[in-house]
Short mmCIF file of all heavy atoms in Angstrom, two decimals:
data_model
loop_
_atom_site.label_atom_id
_atom_site.label_comp_id
_atom_site.label_asym_id
_atom_site.label_seq_id
_atom_site.Cartn_x
_atom_site.Cartn_y
_atom_site.Cartn_z
N MET A 1 -3.11 -11.49 -7.01
CA MET A 1 -2.48 -10.20 -6.81
C MET A 1 -0.97 -10.33 -6.97
O MET A 1 -0.34 -9.43 -7.47
CB MET A 1 -2.84 -9.68 -5.42
CG MET A 1 -2.16 -8.39 -5.10
SD MET A 1 -2.74 -7.48 -3.67
CE MET A 1 -2.81 -8.65 -2.41
N TYR A 2 -0.38 -11.44 -6.52
CA TYR A 2 1.07 -11.59 -6.60
C TYR A 2 1.54 -11.84 -8.03
O TYR A 2 2.72 -11.68 -8.32
CB TYR A 2 1.55 -12.73 -5.69
CG TYR A 2 1.27 -12.43 -4.24
CD1 TYR A 2 0.36 -13.20 -3.53
CD2 TYR A 2 1.90 -11.39 -3.59
CE1 TYR A 2 0.10 -12.93 -2.20
CE2 TYR A 2 1.65 -11.11 -2.27
CZ TYR A 2 0.74 -11.89 -1.57
OH TYR A 2 0.48 -11.62 -0.27
N THR A 3 0.64 -12.20 -8.91
CA THR A 3 1.02 -12.42 -10.30
C THR A 3 1.01 -11.11 -11.08
O THR A 3 1.46 -11.08 -12.23
CB THR A 3 0.08 -13.42 -10.99
OG1 THR A 3 -1.25 -12.91 -10.92
CG2 THR A 3 0.16 -14.78 -10.33
N ARG A 4 0.53 -10.05 -10.46
CA ARG A 4 0.50 -8.73 -11.11
C ARG A 4 1.26 -7.74 -10.24
O ARG A 4 0.72 -7.16 -9.29
CB ARG A 4 -0.94 -8.27 -11.28
CG ARG A 4 -1.70 -9.20 -12.20
CD ARG A 4 -3.06 -8.72 -12.44
NE ARG A 4 -3.74 -9.64 -13.34
CZ ARG A 4 -4.99 -9.54 -13.64
NH1 ARG A 4 -5.72 -8.59 -13.12
NH2 ARG A 4 -5.54 -10.41 -14.45
N PRO A 5 2.53 -7.51 -10.55
CA PRO A 5 3.38 -6.66 -9.72
C PRO A 5 2.84 -5.24 -9.51
O PRO A 5 2.93 -4.70 -8.41
CB PRO A 5 4.71 -6.63 -10.48
CG PRO A 5 4.70 -7.85 -11.31
CD PRO A 5 3.27 -8.10 -11.66
N LEU A 6 2.27 -4.64 -10.54
CA LEU A 6 1.75 -3.28 -10.38
C LEU A 6 0.59 -3.25 -9.39
O LEU A 6 0.53 -2.37 -8.52
CB LEU A 6 1.29 -2.73 -11.74
CG LEU A 6 0.70 -1.31 -11.69
CD1 LEU A 6 1.73 -0.32 -11.18
CD2 LEU A 6 0.19 -0.91 -13.05
N LEU A 7 -0.30 -4.22 -9.48
CA LEU A 7 -1.42 -4.29 -8.55
C LEU A 7 -0.92 -4.49 -7.12
O LEU A 7 -1.41 -3.86 -6.18
CB LEU A 7 -2.36 -5.42 -8.94
CG LEU A 7 -3.62 -5.60 -8.11
CD1 LEU A 7 -4.48 -4.35 -8.19
CD2 LEU A 7 -4.38 -6.81 -8.57
N TYR A 8 0.09 -5.33 -6.96
CA TYR A 8 0.66 -5.57 -5.63
C TYR A 8 1.30 -4.29 -5.07
O TYR A 8 1.11 -3.96 -3.91
CB TYR A 8 1.70 -6.69 -5.70
CG TYR A 8 2.35 -6.96 -4.38
CD1 TYR A 8 1.67 -7.59 -3.36
CD2 TYR A 8 3.66 -6.56 -4.15
CE1 TYR A 8 2.26 -7.83 -2.14
CE2 TYR A 8 4.27 -6.80 -2.93
CZ TYR A 8 3.57 -7.43 -1.93
OH TYR A 8 4.16 -7.65 -0.72
N ARG A 9 2.04 -3.56 -5.91
CA ARG A 9 2.66 -2.32 -5.45
C ARG A 9 1.62 -1.29 -5.04
O ARG A 9 1.78 -0.59 -4.04
CB ARG A 9 3.56 -1.75 -6.54
CG ARG A 9 4.91 -2.40 -6.57
CD ARG A 9 5.84 -1.67 -7.52
NE ARG A 9 6.54 -2.67 -8.28
CZ ARG A 9 6.50 -2.82 -9.59
NH1 ARG A 9 5.82 -1.99 -10.32
NH2 ARG A 9 7.15 -3.78 -10.17
N LEU A 10 0.55 -1.18 -5.82
CA LEU A 10 -0.52 -0.24 -5.48
C LEU A 10 -1.19 -0.62 -4.17
O LEU A 10 -1.45 0.24 -3.32
CB LEU A 10 -1.55 -0.17 -6.60
CG LEU A 10 -1.13 0.57 -7.85
CD1 LEU A 10 -2.16 0.39 -8.95
CD2 LEU A 10 -0.93 2.04 -7.55
N PHE A 11 -1.48 -1.90 -4.00
CA PHE A 11 -2.09 -2.37 -2.75
C PHE A 11 -1.18 -2.07 -1.57
O PHE A 11 -1.62 -1.57 -0.55
CB PHE A 11 -2.39 -3.86 -2.82
CG PHE A 11 -2.86 -4.41 -1.51
CD1 PHE A 11 -4.15 -4.19 -1.09
CD2 PHE A 11 -2.00 -5.11 -0.69
CE1 PHE A 11 -4.60 -4.67 0.13
CE2 PHE A 11 -2.42 -5.60 0.53
CZ PHE A 11 -3.73 -5.38 0.94
N ARG A 12 0.09 -2.37 -1.71
CA ARG A 12 1.07 -2.15 -0.63
C ARG A 12 1.14 -0.66 -0.29
O ARG A 12 1.16 -0.27 0.88
CB ARG A 12 2.43 -2.67 -1.07
CG ARG A 12 3.48 -2.58 0.00
CD ARG A 12 4.82 -3.04 -0.50
NE ARG A 12 5.30 -2.09 -1.50
CZ ARG A 12 6.10 -2.39 -2.50
NH1 ARG A 12 6.51 -3.61 -2.68
NH2 ARG A 12 6.49 -1.46 -3.34
N PHE A 13 1.16 0.19 -1.30
CA PHE A 13 1.24 1.63 -1.08
C PHE A 13 0.02 2.13 -0.31
O PHE A 13 0.14 2.82 0.70
CB PHE A 13 1.34 2.36 -2.42
CG PHE A 13 1.36 3.85 -2.28
CD1 PHE A 13 2.53 4.51 -1.94
CD2 PHE A 13 0.21 4.60 -2.48
CE1 PHE A 13 2.55 5.89 -1.81
CE2 PHE A 13 0.22 5.97 -2.35
CZ PHE A 13 1.39 6.62 -2.01
N PHE A 14 -1.18 1.76 -0.78
CA PHE A 14 -2.39 2.26 -0.13
C PHE A 14 -2.62 1.62 1.23
O PHE A 14 -3.16 2.25 2.14
CB PHE A 14 -3.60 2.10 -1.03
CG PHE A 14 -3.60 3.09 -2.16
CD1 PHE A 14 -3.42 2.66 -3.46
CD2 PHE A 14 -3.75 4.43 -1.91
CE1 PHE A 14 -3.41 3.58 -4.50
CE2 PHE A 14 -3.74 5.36 -2.94
CZ PHE A 14 -3.56 4.93 -4.23
N ALA A 15 -2.22 0.38 1.42
CA ALA A 15 -2.39 -0.28 2.72
C ALA A 15 -1.53 0.40 3.78
O ALA A 15 -1.95 0.53 4.93
CB ALA A 15 -2.02 -1.75 2.61
N THR A 16 -0.34 0.86 3.40
CA THR A 16 0.52 1.51 4.39
C THR A 16 0.11 2.96 4.62
O THR A 16 0.18 3.45 5.74
CB THR A 16 2.00 1.47 3.95
OG1 THR A 16 2.13 2.04 2.66
CG2 THR A 16 2.51 0.05 3.94
N ARG A 17 -0.34 3.66 3.59
CA ARG A 17 -0.68 5.07 3.74
C ARG A 17 -2.05 5.29 4.38
O ARG A 17 -2.26 6.28 5.07
CB ARG A 17 -0.67 5.78 2.39
CG ARG A 17 0.67 5.86 1.68
CD ARG A 17 1.85 5.98 2.60
NE ARG A 17 3.09 6.23 1.93
CZ ARG A 17 3.93 5.29 1.50
NH1 ARG A 17 3.66 4.02 1.65
NH2 ARG A 17 5.06 5.62 0.93
N LEU A 18 -2.97 4.37 4.17
CA LEU A 18 -4.32 4.54 4.70
C LEU A 18 -4.56 3.68 5.94
O LEU A 18 -5.68 3.30 6.22
CB LEU A 18 -5.34 4.20 3.60
CG LEU A 18 -5.25 5.04 2.34
CD1 LEU A 18 -6.23 4.54 1.30
CD2 LEU A 18 -5.47 6.51 2.62
N ARG A 19 -3.52 3.40 6.66
CA ARG A 19 -3.64 2.50 7.82
C ARG A 19 -4.52 3.07 8.92
O ARG A 19 -5.05 2.33 9.73
CB ARG A 19 -2.27 2.12 8.35
CG ARG A 19 -1.54 3.26 8.99
CD ARG A 19 -0.09 2.88 9.27
NE ARG A 19 0.51 3.84 10.15
CZ ARG A 19 0.93 3.58 11.37
NH1 ARG A 19 0.85 2.36 11.82
NH2 ARG A 19 1.44 4.51 12.11
N ALA A 20 -4.70 4.37 8.96
CA ALA A 20 -5.55 4.98 9.99
C ALA A 20 -7.02 4.58 9.80
O ALA A 20 -7.81 4.68 10.73
CB ALA A 20 -5.41 6.49 9.95
N LEU A 21 -7.36 4.12 8.61
CA LEU A 21 -8.75 3.74 8.34
C LEU A 21 -9.06 2.31 8.73
O LEU A 21 -10.18 1.84 8.56
CB LEU A 21 -9.05 3.93 6.85
CG LEU A 21 -8.88 5.35 6.32
CD1 LEU A 21 -9.15 5.38 4.83
CD2 LEU A 21 -9.79 6.31 7.05
N THR A 22 -8.08 1.60 9.28
CA THR A 22 -8.30 0.22 9.70
C THR A 22 -9.31 0.21 10.85
O THR A 22 -9.15 0.95 11.82
CB THR A 22 -6.98 -0.41 10.19
OG1 THR A 22 -6.02 -0.30 9.16
CG2 THR A 22 -7.16 -1.86 10.56
N PRO A 23 -10.36 -0.60 10.76
CA PRO A 23 -11.36 -0.62 11.83
C PRO A 23 -10.76 -1.16 13.14
O PRO A 23 -9.86 -1.99 13.12
CB PRO A 23 -12.44 -1.56 11.30
CG PRO A 23 -11.82 -2.32 10.20
CD PRO A 23 -10.67 -1.52 9.68
N SER A 24 -11.26 -0.66 14.26
CA SER A 24 -10.75 -1.12 15.55
C SER A 24 -11.35 -2.46 15.96
O SER A 24 -10.76 -3.19 16.74
CB SER A 24 -11.04 -0.08 16.63
OG SER A 24 -12.43 0.14 16.73
N ARG A 25 -12.50 -2.79 15.42
CA ARG A 25 -13.14 -4.08 15.69
C ARG A 25 -13.06 -4.94 14.44
O ARG A 25 -13.57 -4.57 13.39
CB ARG A 25 -14.61 -3.90 16.07
CG ARG A 25 -14.79 -3.23 17.39
CD ARG A 25 -14.54 -4.23 18.46
NE ARG A 25 -14.91 -3.68 19.75
CZ ARG A 25 -14.47 -4.18 20.86
NH1 ARG A 25 -13.67 -5.21 20.85
NH2 ARG A 25 -14.83 -3.66 22.00
N LEU A 26 -12.42 -6.09 14.56
CA LEU A 26 -12.29 -7.00 13.44
C LEU A 26 -12.95 -8.33 13.74
O LEU A 26 -12.47 -9.39 13.37
CB LEU A 26 -10.81 -7.22 13.11
CG LEU A 26 -10.03 -5.99 12.67
CD1 LEU A 26 -8.56 -6.31 12.50
CD2 LEU A 26 -10.60 -5.44 11.38
N GLY A 27 -14.05 -8.28 14.44
CA GLY A 27 -14.76 -9.50 14.78
C GLY A 27 -14.51 -9.93 16.21
O GLY A 27 -13.97 -9.17 17.02
N PRO A 28 -14.87 -11.16 16.56
CA PRO A 28 -14.74 -11.64 17.93
C PRO A 28 -13.30 -11.65 18.44
O PRO A 28 -13.07 -11.55 19.64
CB PRO A 28 -15.29 -13.07 17.88
CG PRO A 28 -16.00 -13.19 16.61
CD PRO A 28 -15.50 -12.13 15.70
N TRP A 29 -12.33 -11.77 17.56
CA TRP A 29 -10.93 -11.83 17.98
C TRP A 29 -10.51 -10.57 18.72
O TRP A 29 -9.71 -10.61 19.65
CB TRP A 29 -10.04 -12.05 16.75
CG TRP A 29 -8.63 -12.36 17.10
CD1 TRP A 29 -8.13 -13.56 17.49
CD2 TRP A 29 -7.52 -11.46 17.10
NE1 TRP A 29 -6.79 -13.48 17.72
CE2 TRP A 29 -6.38 -12.19 17.49
CE3 TRP A 29 -7.38 -10.12 16.80
CZ2 TRP A 29 -5.13 -11.63 17.59
CZ3 TRP A 29 -6.13 -9.55 16.90
CH2 TRP A 29 -5.02 -10.30 17.30
N THR A 30 -11.07 -9.43 18.36
CA THR A 30 -10.66 -8.16 18.97
C THR A 30 -11.44 -7.82 20.24
O THR A 30 -11.27 -6.74 20.78
CB THR A 30 -10.79 -7.01 17.96
OG1 THR A 30 -12.13 -6.96 17.48
CG2 THR A 30 -9.83 -7.16 16.82
N GLU A 31 -12.29 -8.72 20.71
CA GLU A 31 -12.97 -8.46 21.98
C GLU A 31 -11.98 -8.43 23.13
O GLU A 31 -12.15 -7.69 24.10
CB GLU A 31 -14.04 -9.52 22.23
CG GLU A 31 -15.24 -9.38 21.33
CD GLU A 31 -16.27 -10.46 21.59
OE1 GLU A 31 -16.23 -11.11 22.66
OE2 GLU A 31 -17.12 -10.67 20.71
N HIS A 32 -10.93 -9.24 23.04
CA HIS A 32 -9.94 -9.34 24.12
C HIS A 32 -8.54 -8.96 23.67
O HIS A 32 -7.59 -9.10 24.43
CB HIS A 32 -9.91 -10.77 24.67
CG HIS A 32 -11.26 -11.22 25.14
ND1 HIS A 32 -11.84 -10.74 26.29
CD2 HIS A 32 -12.16 -12.06 24.58
CE1 HIS A 32 -13.03 -11.30 26.43
NE2 HIS A 32 -13.25 -12.10 25.41
N ARG A 33 -8.39 -8.52 22.43
CA ARG A 33 -7.09 -8.15 21.89
C ARG A 33 -7.22 -6.86 21.09
O ARG A 33 -8.29 -6.54 20.59
CB ARG A 33 -6.56 -9.23 20.94
CG ARG A 33 -6.33 -10.55 21.61
CD ARG A 33 -6.04 -11.60 20.55
NE ARG A 33 -5.85 -12.91 21.13
CZ ARG A 33 -6.81 -13.79 21.37
NH1 ARG A 33 -8.06 -13.47 21.07
NH2 ARG A 33 -6.55 -14.94 21.89
N GLY A 34 -6.11 -6.18 20.93
CA GLY A 34 -6.11 -4.99 20.09
C GLY A 34 -6.00 -5.37 18.62
O GLY A 34 -5.35 -6.34 18.27
N ALA A 35 -6.65 -4.61 17.79
CA ALA A 35 -6.60 -4.88 16.35
C ALA A 35 -5.24 -4.48 15.80
O ALA A 35 -4.75 -3.39 16.09
CB ALA A 35 -7.70 -4.11 15.63
N PRO A 36 -4.60 -5.33 15.01
CA PRO A 36 -3.31 -4.96 14.43
C PRO A 36 -3.48 -3.91 13.34
O PRO A 36 -4.47 -3.91 12.62
CB PRO A 36 -2.80 -6.28 13.83
CG PRO A 36 -4.02 -7.08 13.58
CD PRO A 36 -5.02 -6.68 14.63
N LYS A 37 -2.53 -3.01 13.27
CA LYS A 37 -2.54 -1.98 12.22
C LYS A 37 -1.39 -2.26 11.26
O LYS A 37 -0.34 -2.71 11.68
CB LYS A 37 -2.34 -0.60 12.84
CG LYS A 37 -3.49 -0.16 13.70
CD LYS A 37 -3.96 1.18 13.24
CE LYS A 37 -5.08 1.65 14.12
NZ LYS A 37 -6.29 1.86 13.43
N PRO A 38 -1.59 -2.00 9.99
CA PRO A 38 -0.49 -2.15 9.04
C PRO A 38 0.66 -1.19 9.39
O PRO A 38 0.45 -0.15 10.00
CB PRO A 38 -1.11 -1.77 7.70
CG PRO A 38 -2.58 -1.94 7.89
CD PRO A 38 -2.84 -1.64 9.33
N ALA A 39 1.85 -1.55 9.00
CA ALA A 39 3.03 -0.71 9.26
C ALA A 39 2.92 0.60 8.48
O ALA A 39 2.26 0.68 7.45
CB ALA A 39 4.28 -1.45 8.85
N ALA A 40 3.59 1.63 8.97
CA ALA A 40 3.58 2.93 8.31
C ALA A 40 4.30 2.87 6.97
O ALA A 40 3.93 3.56 6.02
CB ALA A 40 4.21 3.98 9.20
N ARG A 41 5.34 2.08 6.87
CA ARG A 41 6.09 1.88 5.64
C ARG A 41 6.32 0.40 5.43
O ARG A 41 6.51 -0.34 6.39
CB ARG A 41 7.45 2.58 5.69
CG ARG A 41 7.36 4.09 5.80
CD ARG A 41 6.88 4.70 4.48
NE ARG A 41 6.79 6.13 4.56
CZ ARG A 41 5.64 6.79 4.62
NH1 ARG A 41 4.51 6.15 4.67
NH2 ARG A 41 5.61 8.09 4.65
N SER A 42 6.33 -0.03 4.19
CA SER A 42 6.54 -1.45 3.91
C SER A 42 8.01 -1.81 4.11
O SER A 42 8.90 -0.94 4.10
CB SER A 42 6.12 -1.77 2.47
OG SER A 42 7.03 -1.20 1.55
N LEU A 43 8.27 -3.07 4.29
CA LEU A 43 9.64 -3.54 4.45
C LEU A 43 10.47 -3.20 3.21
O LEU A 43 11.64 -2.84 3.32
CB LEU A 43 9.65 -5.05 4.70
CG LEU A 43 11.00 -5.68 4.95
CD1 LEU A 43 11.67 -5.05 6.17
CD2 LEU A 43 10.87 -7.17 5.14
N HIS A 44 9.87 -3.28 2.05
CA HIS A 44 10.56 -2.93 0.81
C HIS A 44 11.01 -1.47 0.83
O HIS A 44 12.14 -1.15 0.46
CB HIS A 44 9.62 -3.19 -0.37
CG HIS A 44 10.25 -2.99 -1.70
ND1 HIS A 44 10.96 -3.97 -2.34
CD2 HIS A 44 10.28 -1.91 -2.51
CE1 HIS A 44 11.40 -3.49 -3.49
NE2 HIS A 44 10.99 -2.26 -3.61
N GLU A 45 10.13 -0.57 1.27
CA GLU A 45 10.48 0.85 1.34
C GLU A 45 11.57 1.11 2.37
O GLU A 45 12.49 1.89 2.12
CB GLU A 45 9.24 1.68 1.68
CG GLU A 45 8.22 1.71 0.58
CD GLU A 45 6.92 2.33 1.02
OE1 GLU A 45 6.52 2.11 2.17
OE2 GLU A 45 6.31 3.03 0.21
N LEU A 46 11.48 0.45 3.51
CA LEU A 46 12.50 0.63 4.55
C LEU A 46 13.86 0.13 4.08
O LEU A 46 14.89 0.78 4.32
CB LEU A 46 12.09 -0.10 5.82
CG LEU A 46 10.86 0.46 6.54
CD1 LEU A 46 10.48 -0.44 7.70
CD2 LEU A 46 11.12 1.87 7.01
N ALA A 47 13.89 -1.01 3.39
CA ALA A 47 15.16 -1.56 2.89
C ALA A 47 15.75 -0.63 1.84
O ALA A 47 16.96 -0.38 1.84
CB ALA A 47 14.94 -2.94 2.32
N ARG A 48 14.93 -0.12 0.95
CA ARG A 48 15.42 0.79 -0.09
C ARG A 48 16.02 2.04 0.54
O ARG A 48 17.10 2.49 0.15
CB ARG A 48 14.30 1.16 -1.04
CG ARG A 48 14.78 2.12 -2.14
CD ARG A 48 13.68 2.53 -3.06
NE ARG A 48 13.31 1.37 -3.86
CZ ARG A 48 12.17 1.25 -4.51
NH1 ARG A 48 11.28 2.22 -4.44
NH2 ARG A 48 11.90 0.19 -5.22
N LYS A 49 15.34 2.60 1.53
CA LYS A 49 15.84 3.81 2.20
C LYS A 49 17.16 3.52 2.91
O LYS A 49 18.09 4.32 2.86
CB LYS A 49 14.80 4.31 3.20
CG LYS A 49 15.17 5.59 3.87
CD LYS A 49 14.08 6.06 4.80
CE LYS A 49 14.49 7.32 5.51
NZ LYS A 49 13.47 7.78 6.44
N HIS A 50 17.25 2.37 3.54
CA HIS A 50 18.47 1.99 4.26
C HIS A 50 19.64 1.84 3.30
O HIS A 50 20.76 2.26 3.59
CB HIS A 50 18.25 0.70 5.03
CG HIS A 50 19.46 0.20 5.73
ND1 HIS A 50 19.93 0.80 6.88
CD2 HIS A 50 20.31 -0.81 5.45
CE1 HIS A 50 21.01 0.17 7.28
NE2 HIS A 50 21.27 -0.82 6.42
N LEU A 51 19.40 1.25 2.14
CA LEU A 51 20.47 1.03 1.17
C LEU A 51 20.91 2.31 0.48
O LEU A 51 22.04 2.40 -0.01
CB LEU A 51 20.04 0.00 0.13
CG LEU A 51 19.88 -1.42 0.66
CD1 LEU A 51 19.30 -2.32 -0.42
CD2 LEU A 51 21.19 -1.96 1.17
N GLU A 52 20.05 3.32 0.44
CA GLU A 52 20.39 4.58 -0.20
C GLU A 52 21.24 5.47 0.70
O GLU A 52 21.88 6.39 0.22
CB GLU A 52 19.13 5.33 -0.59
CG GLU A 52 18.39 4.70 -1.75
CD GLU A 52 17.08 5.41 -2.05
OE1 GLU A 52 16.67 6.30 -1.26
OE2 GLU A 52 16.44 5.06 -3.05
N GLN A 53 21.25 5.22 2.00
CA GLN A 53 22.02 6.04 2.93
C GLN A 53 23.52 5.82 2.71
O GLN A 53 23.96 4.69 2.56
CB GLN A 53 21.67 5.71 4.37
CG GLN A 53 20.27 6.07 4.75
CD GLN A 53 19.97 5.66 6.18
OE1 GLN A 53 20.72 4.95 6.82
NE2 GLN A 53 18.83 6.11 6.67
N PRO A 54 24.29 6.90 2.70
CA PRO A 54 25.74 6.75 2.56
C PRO A 54 26.34 6.14 3.83
O PRO A 54 25.85 6.35 4.93
CB PRO A 54 26.25 8.17 2.37
CG PRO A 54 25.18 9.04 2.90
CD PRO A 54 23.88 8.28 2.78
N ARG A 55 27.38 5.38 3.66
CA ARG A 55 28.01 4.73 4.81
C ARG A 55 29.22 5.48 5.27
O ARG A 55 29.97 6.07 4.75
CB ARG A 55 28.39 3.31 4.46
CG ARG A 55 27.15 2.51 4.25
CD ARG A 55 27.51 1.08 4.00
NE ARG A 55 26.27 0.36 3.78
CZ ARG A 55 26.00 -0.80 4.31
NH1 ARG A 55 26.86 -1.40 5.04
NH2 ARG A 55 24.87 -1.37 4.09
#
């Protein structure tokens, strides 16, 4: 996936936008812990937004 930038961008986009579909049970690990959810926005998107803001 990392050798194909377009595929990586698409995966990153859909992983952040469809995070509500992440299952709450991810196997035995989540019996005593909460399941992690992907971030609402990727670090790349947050950095781009931060750099676009006027100072």
Side-chain angles (χ1 to χ4, degrees):
M1 176 167 49
Y2 296 114
T3 59
R4 297 184 179 173
L6 179 61
L7 183 61
Y8 178 72
R9 278 188 224 119
L10 286 172
F11 173 77
R12 184 183 68 208
F13 177 81
F14 286 112
T16 55
R17 296 327 188 270
L18 301 175
R19 69 190 193 115
L21 300 177
T22 304
S24 60
R25 292 283 189 199
L26 298 175
W29 190 80
T30 57
E31 288 179 18
H32 304 287
R33 298 171 182 88
K37 292 234 182 241
R41 296 288 180 253
S42 71
L43 183 60
H44 185 86
E45 291 170 323
L46 293 174
R48 180 181 290 161
K49 184 178 178 181
H50 177 74
L51 292 174
E52 289 175 352
Q53 294 177 349
R55 292 184 181 224

